[in-house]
mmCIF file of all heavy atoms in Angstrom:
data_model
loop_
_atom_site.group_PDB
_atom_site.id
_atom_site.type_symbol
_atom_site.label_atom_id
_atom_site.label_comp_id
_atom_site.label_asym_id
_atom_site.label_seq_id
_atom_site.Cartn_x
_atom_site.Cartn_y
_atom_site.Cartn_z
ATOM 1 N N ALA A 44 104.586 96.669 98.607
ATOM 2 C CA ALA A 44 105.013 96.207 99.922
ATOM 3 C C ALA A 44 104.175 94.959 100.239
ATOM 4 O O ALA A 44 103.072 94.809 99.725
ATOM 5 C CB ALA A 44 104.787 97.292 100.978
ATOM 6 N N ASP A 158 101.293 99.630 99.713
ATOM 7 C CA ASP A 158 101.413 98.783 100.898
ATOM 8 C C ASP A 158 100.158 97.917 101.041
ATOM 9 O O ASP A 158 99.131 98.352 101.558
ATOM 10 C CB ASP A 158 101.609 99.643 102.150
ATOM 11 C CG ASP A 158 102.037 98.822 103.359
ATOM 12 O OD1 ASP A 158 101.565 97.672 103.488
ATOM 13 O OD2 ASP A 158 102.839 99.315 104.164
ATOM 14 N N GLN A 161 98.610 97.110 104.705
ATOM 15 C CA GLN A 161 97.847 98.177 105.358
ATOM 16 C C GLN A 161 96.667 98.653 104.520
ATOM 17 O O GLN A 161 95.749 99.287 105.058
ATOM 18 C CB GLN A 161 98.765 99.366 105.650
ATOM 19 C CG GLN A 161 99.876 99.071 106.636
ATOM 20 C CD GLN A 161 100.633 100.318 107.024
ATOM 21 O OE1 GLN A 161 100.073 101.296 107.495
ATOM 22 N NE2 GLN A 161 101.938 100.305 106.801
ATOM 23 N N ARG A 180 103.165 105.036 99.279
ATOM 24 C CA ARG A 180 104.397 105.765 99.595
ATOM 25 C C ARG A 180 105.068 106.084 98.267
ATOM 26 O O ARG A 180 105.120 105.241 97.370
ATOM 27 C CB ARG A 180 105.303 104.893 100.471
ATOM 28 C CG ARG A 180 106.675 105.444 100.760
ATOM 29 C CD ARG A 180 107.418 104.507 101.711
ATOM 30 N NE ARG A 180 108.807 104.892 101.880
ATOM 31 C CZ ARG A 180 109.816 104.400 101.185
ATOM 32 N NH1 ARG A 180 109.582 103.475 100.258
ATOM 33 N NH2 ARG A 180 111.046 104.797 101.387
ATOM 34 N N ALA A 203 112.408 91.106 103.721
ATOM 35 C CA ALA A 203 113.496 92.063 103.957
ATOM 36 C C ALA A 203 112.885 93.377 104.418
ATOM 37 O O ALA A 203 111.897 93.842 103.857
ATOM 38 C CB ALA A 203 114.301 92.272 102.684
ATOM 39 N N SER A 204 113.490 93.985 105.425
ATOM 40 C CA SER A 204 112.928 95.230 105.944
ATOM 41 C C SER A 204 114.032 96.147 106.463
ATOM 42 O O SER A 204 115.098 95.695 106.884
ATOM 43 C CB SER A 204 111.917 94.945 107.059
ATOM 44 O OG SER A 204 112.535 94.263 108.141
ATOM 45 N N VAL A 205 113.754 97.435 106.417
ATOM 46 C CA VAL A 205 114.674 98.443 106.934
ATOM 47 C C VAL A 205 113.839 99.580 107.513
ATOM 48 O O VAL A 205 112.782 99.924 106.972
ATOM 49 C CB VAL A 205 115.619 98.956 105.824
ATOM 50 C CG1 VAL A 205 114.844 99.614 104.695
ATOM 51 C CG2 VAL A 205 116.656 99.907 106.379
ATOM 52 N N THR A 206 114.286 100.126 108.631
ATOM 53 C CA THR A 206 113.569 101.235 109.265
ATOM 54 C C THR A 206 114.107 102.551 108.735
ATOM 55 O O THR A 206 115.307 102.825 108.808
ATOM 56 C CB THR A 206 113.730 101.186 110.793
ATOM 57 O OG1 THR A 206 113.191 99.949 111.287
ATOM 58 C CG2 THR A 206 112.983 102.340 111.451
ATOM 59 N N VAL A 207 113.195 103.346 108.183
ATOM 60 C CA VAL A 207 113.538 104.666 107.650
ATOM 61 C C VAL A 207 112.721 105.700 108.419
ATOM 62 O O VAL A 207 111.515 105.831 108.214
ATOM 63 C CB VAL A 207 113.235 104.768 106.140
ATOM 64 C CG1 VAL A 207 113.592 106.159 105.630
ATOM 65 C CG2 VAL A 207 113.990 103.704 105.367
ATOM 66 N N GLY A 208 113.386 106.413 109.318
ATOM 67 C CA GLY A 208 112.655 107.374 110.147
ATOM 68 C C GLY A 208 111.660 106.647 111.033
ATOM 69 O O GLY A 208 112.016 105.759 111.808
ATOM 70 N N ASP A 209 110.374 106.979 110.880
ATOM 71 C CA ASP A 209 109.337 106.356 111.699
ATOM 72 C C ASP A 209 108.530 105.323 110.927
ATOM 73 O O ASP A 209 107.442 104.926 111.351
ATOM 74 C CB ASP A 209 108.401 107.414 112.291
ATOM 75 C CG ASP A 209 107.728 108.258 111.211
ATOM 76 O OD1 ASP A 209 108.055 108.066 110.017
ATOM 77 O OD2 ASP A 209 106.882 109.102 111.563
ATOM 78 N N GLU A 210 109.034 104.874 109.763
ATOM 79 C CA GLU A 210 108.329 103.857 109.003
ATOM 80 C C GLU A 210 109.257 102.715 108.631
ATOM 81 O O GLU A 210 110.480 102.857 108.633
ATOM 82 C CB GLU A 210 107.699 104.450 107.738
ATOM 83 C CG GLU A 210 108.703 104.930 106.704
ATOM 84 C CD GLU A 210 108.025 105.446 105.448
ATOM 85 O OE1 GLU A 210 106.841 105.138 105.221
ATOM 86 O OE2 GLU A 210 108.694 106.159 104.676
ATOM 87 N N ILE A 211 108.649 101.566 108.341
ATOM 88 C CA ILE A 211 109.404 100.386 107.941
ATOM 89 C C ILE A 211 109.155 100.129 106.462
ATOM 90 O O ILE A 211 108.008 100.005 106.027
ATOM 91 C CB ILE A 211 108.994 99.150 108.768
ATOM 92 C CG1 ILE A 211 109.345 99.361 110.246
ATOM 93 C CG2 ILE A 211 109.682 97.901 108.237
ATOM 94 C CD1 ILE A 211 108.908 98.236 111.146
ATOM 95 N N VAL A 212 110.230 100.077 105.691
ATOM 96 C CA VAL A 212 110.148 99.747 104.270
ATOM 97 C C VAL A 212 110.492 98.270 104.140
ATOM 98 O O VAL A 212 111.535 97.823 104.622
ATOM 99 C CB VAL A 212 111.125 100.601 103.433
ATOM 100 C CG1 VAL A 212 111.036 100.224 101.958
ATOM 101 C CG2 VAL A 212 110.831 102.078 103.628
ATOM 102 N N SER A 213 109.612 97.492 103.491
ATOM 103 C CA SER A 213 109.821 96.047 103.438
ATOM 104 C C SER A 213 109.415 95.486 102.087
ATOM 105 O O SER A 213 108.666 96.111 101.333
ATOM 106 C CB SER A 213 109.024 95.354 104.553
ATOM 107 O OG SER A 213 107.642 95.643 104.439
#
Side-chain angles (χ1 to χ4, degrees):
D158 192 324
Q161 296 188 56
R180 174 176 172 266
S204 60
V205 61
T206 300
V207 179
D209 58 356
E210 67 177 342
I211 296 177
V212 179
S213 58

